Amino acid sequence: MRIDIITVLPELLAGPFSASILKRAKDKGIAEVHLHNLKHYGLNKHNQVDDYQFGGGAGMVMMIEPILNCINKLKSERRYDEIIYTSPDGETFDQGHANHLSLKENLIIICGHYKGIDQRLRDYVVTKEYSIGDYVLSGGELAAAVISDAIIRLIPGVLNDETSALTDSFQDGLLAPPVYTRPADFNGWKVPEVLLSGNFAKIEEWRMEQSLKRTAERRPDLLDEE
Ligand code: ADE
């Protein structure tokens, strides 16, 4: 998989992609993330990427041309499955979207800034719009990092223990059960007996009960979804 991220702040994204699982995915040749500085596509001698909004009002709008020039250059090199825009008014990104996108080959993510991008890009160029939650970030970069991480870790071979992504919270529509490690008794704080029993059928049954209980308590909305 390849993800191309178009941003006015590439330095904000360099960190998340140079450590941990995302770095491992890159080193293994499974996923690559390329950052494109939108200012390199800016207009005139000021490398302008934004302008005042028609109709007046505070806040700048990101212009069509620089973004489209960057996208067209990328599209001339390969075919893209989706052109994603990160914005608080997009569809709320969830595990289902991550699963779906992890099967794709090439994605572009445009990070919004200021008042956002010109609506015509959203109407004619963008194919998916995602929000990562009901709060406003100062730009779409952190949202792009969150979305990329959620997608890339699902690609087979990225995680060492391949089954571990399958047992994540949300993967079966439920929250994950509690987990424990040694010592079995820490000054009287005991691990549930069943986990020490060696009876794997019983352990699975207990984990499913715990998942259901936790989901009912913390996220009953997940149980209502069909
Ligand atoms: N840009 C600003 N806030 C955002 C959010 N909540 N999700 C995605 N992109 C954003």
Side-chain angles (χ1 to χ4, degrees), residues 86-88 130-133 135-137 139-140 143:
T86 56
S87 171
Y130 293 121
S131 162
I132 60 160
Y135 40 80
V136 179
L137 303 166

Side-chain angles (χ1 to χ4, degrees), residues 8-214:
V8 288
L9 281 177
E11 56 275 25
L12 193 58
L13 285 169
F17 294 113
S18 58
S20 185
I21 284 169
L22 296 178
K23 177 169 188 301
R24 192 172 340 131
K26 183 174 161 203
D27 293 346
K28 286 184 176 174
I30 298 172
E32 39 184 293
V33 176
H34 295 262
L35 305 176
H36 303 277
N37 190 340
L38 186 62
K39 289 183 188 143
H40 295 164
Y41 296 83
L43 307 183
N44 58 49
K45 65 175 192 293
H46 304 292
N47 299 324
Q48 186 183 356
V49 297
D50 58 349
D51 209 336
Y52 297 104
Q53 52 178 315
F54 281 125
M60 306 294 272
V61 176
M62 293 170 79
M63 303 165 88
I64 295 177
E65 249 187 296
I67 293 175
L68 199 53
N69 287 344
C70 183
I71 290 175
N72 284 340
K73 175 170 181 291
L74 292 170
K75 277 176 143 180
S76 73
E77 291 160 0
R78 67 197 64 75
R79 207 191 68 77
Y80 283 89
D81 299 292
E82 302 287 0
I83 300 180
I84 297 167
Y85 174 53
T86 56
S87 171
D89 60 3
E91 192 179 345
T92 306
F93 187 78
D94 65 18
Q95 192 65 34
H97 297 124
N99 289 339
H100 180 74
L101 291 171
S102 72
L103 303 172
K104 306 290 184 190
E105 276 301 311
N106 299 309
L107 303 172
I108 290 176
I109 306 182
I110 308 165
C111 304
H113 254 270
Y114 323 116
K115 281 280 159 197
I117 61 174
D118 189 300
Q119 180 61 38
R120 289 166 290 180
L121 281 170
R122 302 177 70 167
D123 293 342
Y124 298 116
V125 180
V126 166
T127 59
K128 296 266 188 265
E129 302 188 331
Y130 293 121
S131 162
I132 60 160
D134 288 345
Y135 40 80
V136 179
L137 303 166
S138 36
E141 282 72 18
L142 296 178
V146 165
I147 290 170
S148 301
D149 182 290
I151 295 170
I152 289 172
R153 64 189 292 287
L154 293 174
I155 304 172
V158 173
L159 297 184
N160 277 340
D161 175 0
E162 281 206 25
T163 61
S164 78
L166 298 175
T167 54
D168 285 342
S169 279
F170 304 113
Q171 208 49 275
D172 53 5
L174 297 175
L175 300 184
V179 291
Y180 300 85
T181 186
R182 287 188 290 181
D185 183 341
F186 179 81
N187 298 338
W189 297 351
K190 293 203 170 73
V191 166
E193 269 312 313
V194 59
L195 296 178
L196 310 175
S197 70
N199 181 336
F200 292 106
K202 273 246 164 322
I203 290 172
E204 268 318 294
E205 193 183 319
W206 179 85
R207 286 185 170 146
M208 180 48 75
E209 276 166 26
Q210 292 294 315
S211 270
L212 284 165
K213 179 165 171 276
R214 198 168 255 202

